[in-house]
Amino acid sequence: MTTSPQTSELILVTGASTGMGAATATDLAARGYHVIAGVRREADADAIRSTRIQPVILDITRPEQIVEVAALIEADGRPLRAVVNNAGIAVNAPVEVLPLAEWRRQFDVNFFGHIEVTQAVLPALLKSGGRIVLISSIGGRVAQPTYGAYSGSKFALEAVGDSLRRELAPHGVQVVIVEPGAVRTEMVGRGGVTLKKLSADMTPTQERRFSGLMRAILAQSEGFLRSGVDASEAGKAIATAATTPRPKTRYTIGRDAALLIRLARILPDRALDKLLASALRRLFPKPHTSLND
């Protein structure tokens, strides 16, 4: 078998157990790259392992595992073409309702973990003239109700991405931000489970204040699972962002993301508030229904 130029280059993908991460790893491998795929469990590793996909156990909230992956890349010897910071969780609830421990968990995975991975592999990227790809979200540009923690972590990631791009451009390392809209992934389903659990812990006053909103957000999330972009399509877009010779600074995935970002640019805040509220209002439950019905 002839060895392609890409086979002599590594790409690290975090959060590759399922969804966009797994799809990105698969697409990159099909393009000929050797992919180091960060997964959480051995069963996930067995599911994704192939000739060009090398799974590693990587929980990005575990510093010792990040150190091990960085050492693996250094010992391999092949240049690191890119790191795709994809791992993420969604924890949705009103600011008043969401416990502080859940805020910290959201930021540990969606923000601080990515910073630690990037710092660990940056020496290899500087050596190779590689690329950092940060998987943000439309939620990193527009914060809907109950998305305070999730959007907060993504807004922070967007800001760091801009800073990194300006810091590293003189040193030959490119930084790209990818902003998916609705994508059919397991993360959306897991977010719905968390939303139901948090709703069960609300006080009676909070229940009266927010139950309708939380039911509407859950219905919206379930709609994403039916109508969102397929994970394979998102993975293809992310793989392109990681490997195209002259990347844009930002990519959106899905028409909903492109439209909402465009509206956020041109509409005053109050007008955007009304638009988002109107979209949710039709999803509010009828009286006397609960989140667990």
Side-chain angles (χ1 to χ4, degrees):
M1 181 176 65
T2 303
T3 301
S4 68
Q6 290 93 334
T7 308
S8 62
E9 295 181 317
L10 306 176
I11 295 183
L12 171 63
V13 180
T14 69
S17 295
T18 59
M20 291 193 300
T24 300
T26 300
D27 194 285
L28 288 168
R31 299 180 191 215
Y33 293 93
H34 184 84
V35 181
I36 299 176
V39 300
R40 294 283 302 278
R41 297 173 293 271
E42 289 293 345
D44 298 327
D46 293 338
I48 200 172
R49 183 180 285 107
S50 71
T51 303
R52 292 197 176 103
I53 298 180
Q54 177 183 353
V56 295
I57 300 300
L58 177 59
D59 178 342
I60 66 170
T61 67
R62 300 278 298 274
E64 71 278 9
Q65 293 183 3
I66 295 174
V67 169
E68 289 172 1
V69 170
L72 173 67
I73 291 169
E74 183 178 2
D76 185 282
R78 285 175 286 189
L80 182 63
R81 176 50 39 207
V83 55
V84 178
N85 287 295
N86 169 77
I89 58 173
V91 181
N92 289 359
V95 172
E96 177 186 348
V97 173
L98 191 64
L100 197 56
E102 291 296 326
W103 283 85
R104 292 192 174 105
R105 184 168 75 96
Q106 180 77 92
F107 272 78
D108 280 345
V109 178
N110 285 14
F111 181 67
F112 292 115
H114 295 316
I115 301 304
E116 192 159 5
V117 169
T118 299
Q119 288 177 334
V121 302
L122 192 51
L125 291 169
L126 287 164
K127 187 184 300 184
S128 65
R131 186 173 304 173
I132 299 166
V133 181
L134 300 172
I135 307 304
S136 179
S137 166
I138 180 58
R141 303 288 291 277
V142 179
Q144 295 203 63
T146 78
Y147 280 76
Y150 178 79
S151 286
S153 68
K154 295 298 188 179
F155 268 70
L157 197 65
E158 295 259 352
V160 170
D162 285 342
S163 184
L164 265 176
R165 187 179 68 251
R166 291 157 186 159
E167 291 170 3
L168 297 177
H171 305 288
V173 174
Q174 298 168 317
V175 179
V176 176
I177 298 171
V178 180
E179 299 162 338
V183 179
R184 298 194 297 273
T185 69
E186 290 186 13
M187 185 184 78
V188 176
R190 289 192 295 266
V193 172
T194 302
L195 185 65
K196 287 183 177 181
K197 180 180 181 299
L198 290 168
S199 73
D201 295 332
M202 289 192 297
T203 67
T205 300
Q206 291 170 339
E207 171 79 20
R208 288 192 295 272
R209 187 154 45 235
F210 295 123
S211 62
L213 172 63
M214 293 179 76
R215 182 64 179 266
I217 290 294
L218 181 60
Q220 186 183 69
S221 297
E222 291 170 346
F224 291 163
L225 287 173
R226 293 190 299 270
S227 61
V229 171
D230 189 78
S232 62
E233 184 178 340
K236 181 179 180 180
I238 295 167
T240 296
T243 60
T244 190
R246 299 186 65 179
K248 297 185 290 186
T249 59
R250 278 177 169 81
Y251 291 84
T252 58
I253 297 177
R255 283 182 289 183
D256 60 328
L259 176 61
L260 194 52
I261 287 174
R262 193 173 299 118
L263 290 173
R265 287 174 180 158
I266 62 176
L267 291 179
D269 286 347
R270 299 296 186 192
L272 185 60
D273 290 350
K274 290 179 180 179
L275 180 67
L276 296 175
S278 177
L280 280 175
R281 193 174 300 117
R282 62 186 178 83
L283 298 174
F284 268 63
K286 296 177 182 179
H288 312 302
T289 60
S290 75
L291 208 63
N292 296 305
D293 288 346

